[in-house]
Amino acid sequence: MALLIKGGEIVNAETRTRADILIEGETIQAIGLGLDAPPGTEVIDAAGKLVFPGFIDPHVHIYLPFMATFAKDTHATASKAALIGGTTTFIEMVCPARNDDALEAYSTWKQKAEGASACDYAFHMAVTRYDGDKTEAQLREIVADGTASFKVFLAYKNFFGVNDEELFQTLKLAAGLGVITTAHCENAELVAQLQQLLLAEGKTGPEWHEPSRPEAVEAEGTARFATFVEETGATGYVVHLSCAPALRAAVEAKLRGVKLHVETVLPHFLLDKTYGERPGLEGMKYIMSPPLRHERNQPALWHALQAGMIDTVATDHCPFDKEQKLLGAKAFTQIPNGIPGIEDRVNLMYTYGVKRGRLDLHRFVDALSTRPAKLFGLFPRKGAIAAGSDADLVVYDTAWRGKISAATHHVNNDYNAFEGFELEGRPSVVTVRGKVQVRDGVFVGEAGRGRMLRRTPHHRRQEAAQSA
Ligand code: URP
Ligand code: ZN
Ligand code: ZN
């Protein structure tokens, strides 16, 4: 059935215009004023509302065996929560443990998502061990299957973390294949040593998590990753950058001409290290890595985001419930790392970014939709409202008022790190490839509608653009 979204204010990364959007099947057919619709078309009145391209979360964990447990969401729960919050596509990290087989892990992650996700999705393939020709052959197969981005961890020694030799091999292969490599940038050895020193001094509570991974440790990881990207001619993407010293390292690399992009995640804009310093379980809820930082970093992050030095805003969605967090009751090093956010990113960034004057409306769309689409090979299918693009649309009600609460959220977790935060807007209608999946905070659509998005490497996209 056709769908006509009538009279909304269409906001793309570069343009803003009041018009109707006609959708036939899965794609946008036409955009214009006073569009005629075929008989039987469902009409959605968007007068007085903003219409955004579906938002893309480029960094989430849904299935994740990690720190002696598993992240709580399933693809069914996380995708519905994502859609209710306006996110129509997510990119999930496939994270094999160091001793796991990469191809087997890739197939496990695909099986978990297939038929279960209500929104579209893609993967980044984490390289957690580099075993010469075997790894190269496996990664080539994974890229040929449409997963055209890698992930490396410079942190998590002996689990996900790679050494410098493996980092070099991964980036060299990525450069040759034309795929972007995303990286968690903290010096694993320094973290391991500092953790042991603190524990030996009897410092076991969650408040010691941040001191065990200080800003300098992240700045070192970021600078080192940038140098490896520079020397291999690869394209890099720093995930969840949290603080000004790491930002400085990334910007210095950008100024040298290194092809380096930067992501910051929702918690680092809105929460600071005092949350993690709360006693006991209250502090454990806020443990993630890199850790929540001193609040002095937040103005730098907001300015850099507005200026485009920070390219994207993701969530690093990674829910562990209270019982799981208590695995770290005796030692902060055992607290499962992660904070959920997939449902709240769009509304919180709109309220505390756009409405508070920190973020221009177009940069908001760019950072949360268009730029992730461009960097990860989804544009212009995703990330834009344009004829021919997928009809992933968010009709946004800026008059709605509410509050975040674990009592009403849809993520499969028993707390919300943003509990009590006021919201000034939410999606009233969300579509995925032309099908209405959400109305006014309620999932009304088709579970399992989501499809895996297959992407081509960067150089093949350039060739296609040149020959078009
Ligand atoms: O604390 C975090 N960020 N947990 C998820 C794993 C990761 O490092 O991205
Ligand atoms: Zn990470
Ligand atoms: Zn992550």
Side-chain angles (χ1 to χ4, degrees):
M1 187 174 63
L3 196 63
L4 183 68
I5 299 189
K6 216 170 167 42
E9 180 101 359
I10 299 171
V11 186
N12 271 315
E14 306 287 346
T15 57
R16 183 168 174 163
T17 164
R18 189 175 307 282
D20 306 337
I21 305 170
L22 179 64
I23 297 153
E24 278 174 22
E26 300 195 344
T27 52
I28 297 173
Q29 287 300 309
I31 299 171
L33 273 177
L35 289 182
D36 286 331
T41 300
E42 180 187 345
V43 178
I44 292 172
D45 180 10
K49 301 204 167 70
L50 302 176
V51 188
F52 297 124
F55 292 97
I56 299 170
D57 190 340
H59 179 174
V60 306
H61 302 274
I62 296 171
Y63 173 65
L64 184 69
F66 186 41
M67 298 191 73
T69 186
F70 291 83
K72 280 290 288 184
D73 261 318
T74 63
H75 289 80
T77 56
S79 62
K80 285 180 192 165
L83 284 167
I84 288 167
T87 291
T88 55
T89 297
F90 57 75
I91 312 184
E92 183 184 5
M93 304 286 176
V94 175
C95 293
R98 195 167 164 77
N99 291 326
D100 291 347
D101 181 81
L103 266 183
E104 276 172 25
Y106 181 60
S107 123
T108 302
W109 257 263
K110 278 186 9 179
Q111 280 166 26
K112 297 265 177 204
E114 198 175 343
S117 179
C119 66
D120 286 350
Y121 57 92
F123 297 107
H124 301 297
M125 183 67 209
V127 181
T128 50
R129 177 194 191 100
Y130 202 100
D131 257 347
D133 293 348
K134 179 180 173 205
T135 301
E136 176 173 339
Q138 291 191 325
L139 292 174
R140 284 183 183 278
E141 197 174 325
I142 289 165
V143 171
D145 189 52
T147 290
S149 46
F150 296 157
K151 167 78 181 281
V152 285
F153 291 90
L154 277 56
Y156 307 129
K157 192 180 165 191
N158 299 329
F159 192 65
F160 291 146
V162 288
N163 60 36
D164 283 356
E165 185 185 344
E166 293 170 312
L167 173 62
F168 186 81
Q169 298 302 339
T170 304
L171 288 170
K172 207 156 61 71
L173 179 66
L177 290 172
V179 306
I180 187 168
T181 302
T182 70
H184 176 137
C185 298
E186 289 179 297
N187 185 308
E189 191 57 50
L190 273 171
V191 172
Q193 295 297 331
L194 291 173
Q195 285 178 333
Q196 292 320 310
L197 282 180
L198 289 163
L199 290 179
E201 289 168 14
K203 295 171 173 165
T204 57
E207 70 274 27
W208 297 105
H209 176 71
E210 201 276 343
S212 76
R213 333 173 71 102
E215 293 175 9
V217 164
E218 187 185 346
E220 190 280 339
T222 306
R224 180 158 43 96
F225 178 62
T227 305
F228 276 68
V229 168
E230 186 172 17
E231 295 304 325
T232 52
T235 301
Y237 176 99
V238 178
V239 299
H240 52 36
L241 181 137
S242 73
C243 61
L247 177 62
R248 202 167 294 122
V251 171
E252 271 173 18
K254 282 183 188 244
L255 291 173
R256 298 201 299 276
V258 182
K259 289 174 279 173
L260 190 72
H261 305 279
V262 176
E263 164 199 286
T264 292
V265 295
L266 180 63
H268 293 306
F269 288 106
L270 297 176
L271 306 172
D272 62 49
K273 74 188 190 104
T274 61
Y275 287 82
E277 289 166 355
R278 294 175 178 179
L281 177 61
E282 278 313 299
M284 293 179 201
K285 292 178 184 172
Y286 294 93
I287 296 307
M288 65 177 290
S289 297
L292 297 177
R293 299 297 190 191
H294 191 285
E295 66 177 0
R296 69 170 169 266
N297 289 286
Q298 289 176 358
L301 297 183
W302 282 110
H303 288 311
L305 175 63
Q306 172 58 33
M309 287 183 279
I310 291 173
D311 295 84
T312 61
V313 178
T315 57
D316 196 10
H317 177 75
C318 193
F320 295 104
D321 67 16
K322 293 187 249 181
E323 194 182 333
Q324 291 173 304
K325 288 283 182 183
L326 284 166
L327 290 169
K330 293 207 173 84
F332 69 86
T333 50
Q334 310 299 317
I335 304 168
N337 283 207
I339 294 182
I342 202 166
E343 185 169 351
D344 302 317
R345 177 185 63 136
V346 171
N347 295 330
L348 283 170
M349 291 305 289
Y350 180 77
T351 302
Y352 295 93
V354 177
K355 293 287 296 211
R356 299 291 181 273
R358 294 164 166 147
L359 191 58
D360 164 72
L361 189 62
H362 295 286
R363 185 80 257 284
F364 164 74
V365 172
D366 191 35
L368 277 72
S369 177
T370 311
R371 211 175 285 203
K374 287 181 175 170
L375 287 173
F376 296 115
L378 296 169
F379 187 83
R381 181 172 172 194
K382 308 288 189 190
I385 301 181
S389 292
D390 279 0
D392 295 353
L393 298 167
V394 177
V395 180
Y396 203 75
D397 182 358
T398 58
W400 186 84
R401 295 290 177 268
K403 247 187 205 179
I404 291 181
S405 168
T408 50
H409 74 193
H410 300 84
V411 167
N412 186 28
N413 204 22
D414 57 3
Y415 77 95
N416 190 308
F418 304 97
E419 184 76 33
F421 274 63
E422 308 269 355
L423 295 179
E424 299 177 18
R426 77 162 181 191
S428 63
V429 173
V430 180
T431 67
V432 174
R433 284 179 282 103
K435 174 146 186 50
V436 174
Q437 294 284 75
V438 170
R439 283 185 205 273
D440 298 321
V442 180
F443 182 79
V444 294
E446 186 188 322
R449 178 170 178 75
R451 281 199 204 128
M452 176 176 158
L453 302 167
R454 289 189 156 77
R455 301 170 290 130
T456 51
H458 182 64
H459 59 72
R460 295 228 300 273
R461 296 201 297 275
Q462 277 180 333
E463 285 159 16
Q466 277 157 9
S467 64

mmCIF file of all heavy atoms in Angstrom, residues 59 61 93 151 240 316, ligand 3:
data_model
loop_
_atom_site.group_PDB
_atom_site.id
_atom_site.type_symbol
_atom_site.label_atom_id
_atom_site.label_comp_id
_atom_site.label_asym_id
_atom_site.label_seq_id
_atom_site.Cartn_x
_atom_site.Cartn_y
_atom_site.Cartn_z
ATOM 1 N N HIS A 59 27.004 2.137 16.252
ATOM 2 C CA HIS A 59 27.809 1.368 17.223
ATOM 3 C C HIS A 59 26.897 0.826 18.313
ATOM 4 O O HIS A 59 26.549 1.549 19.256
ATOM 5 C CB HIS A 59 28.881 2.295 17.818
ATOM 6 C CG HIS A 59 29.761 1.652 18.846
ATOM 7 N ND1 HIS A 59 30.844 2.308 19.388
ATOM 8 C CD2 HIS A 59 29.751 0.432 19.450
ATOM 9 C CE1 HIS A 59 31.444 1.542 20.267
ATOM 10 N NE2 HIS A 59 30.786 0.385 20.330
ATOM 11 N N HIS A 61 25.900 -2.969 20.674
ATOM 12 C CA HIS A 61 26.133 -4.371 21.022
ATOM 13 C C HIS A 61 24.785 -4.958 21.415
ATOM 14 O O HIS A 61 24.118 -4.428 22.311
ATOM 15 C CB HIS A 61 27.095 -4.487 22.205
ATOM 16 C CG HIS A 61 28.418 -3.837 21.956
ATOM 17 N ND1 HIS A 61 29.457 -4.467 21.332
ATOM 18 C CD2 HIS A 61 28.852 -2.563 22.221
ATOM 19 C CE1 HIS A 61 30.493 -3.643 21.249
ATOM 20 N NE2 HIS A 61 30.146 -2.469 21.766
ATOM 21 N N MET A 93 28.406 -4.609 16.421
ATOM 22 C CA MET A 93 29.764 -5.143 16.436
ATOM 23 C C MET A 93 29.718 -6.659 16.583
ATOM 24 O O MET A 93 29.166 -7.157 17.577
ATOM 25 C CB MET A 93 30.543 -4.573 17.629
ATOM 26 C CG MET A 93 30.602 -3.061 17.709
ATOM 27 S SD MET A 93 31.731 -2.434 16.464
ATOM 28 C CE MET A 93 31.531 -0.662 16.677
ATOM 29 N N LYS A 151 36.488 -3.750 13.100
ATOM 30 C CA LYS A 151 36.598 -3.154 14.426
ATOM 31 C C LYS A 151 37.836 -3.730 15.085
ATOM 32 O O LYS A 151 38.086 -4.931 14.986
ATOM 33 C CB LYS A 151 35.352 -3.529 15.257
ATOM 34 C CG LYS A 151 35.453 -3.243 16.762
ATOM 35 C CD LYS A 151 35.241 -1.780 17.050
ATOM 36 C CE LYS A 151 35.360 -1.438 18.536
ATOM 37 N NZ LYS A 151 34.174 -1.765 19.296
ATOM 38 N N HIS A 240 33.534 5.844 20.396
ATOM 39 C CA HIS A 240 33.242 6.347 21.743
ATOM 40 C C HIS A 240 34.334 7.210 22.376
ATOM 41 O O HIS A 240 34.752 6.978 23.512
ATOM 42 C CB HIS A 240 32.784 5.234 22.683
ATOM 43 C CG HIS A 240 33.650 3.998 22.781
ATOM 44 N ND1 HIS A 240 35.011 4.028 22.731
ATOM 45 C CD2 HIS A 240 33.308 2.693 22.960
ATOM 46 C CE1 HIS A 240 35.470 2.795 22.875
ATOM 47 N NE2 HIS A 240 34.449 1.970 23.005
ATOM 48 N N ASP A 316 26.839 3.012 21.605
ATOM 49 C CA ASP A 316 27.569 1.917 22.251
ATOM 50 C C ASP A 316 26.594 1.170 23.172
ATOM 51 O O ASP A 316 26.980 0.705 24.259
ATOM 52 C CB ASP A 316 28.773 2.457 23.031
ATOM 53 C CG ASP A 316 29.764 1.370 23.398
ATOM 54 O OD1 ASP A 316 29.622 0.241 22.900
ATOM 55 O OD2 ASP A 316 30.666 1.645 24.204
HETATM 56 ZN ZN ZN B 3 31.185 -0.779 21.881
#
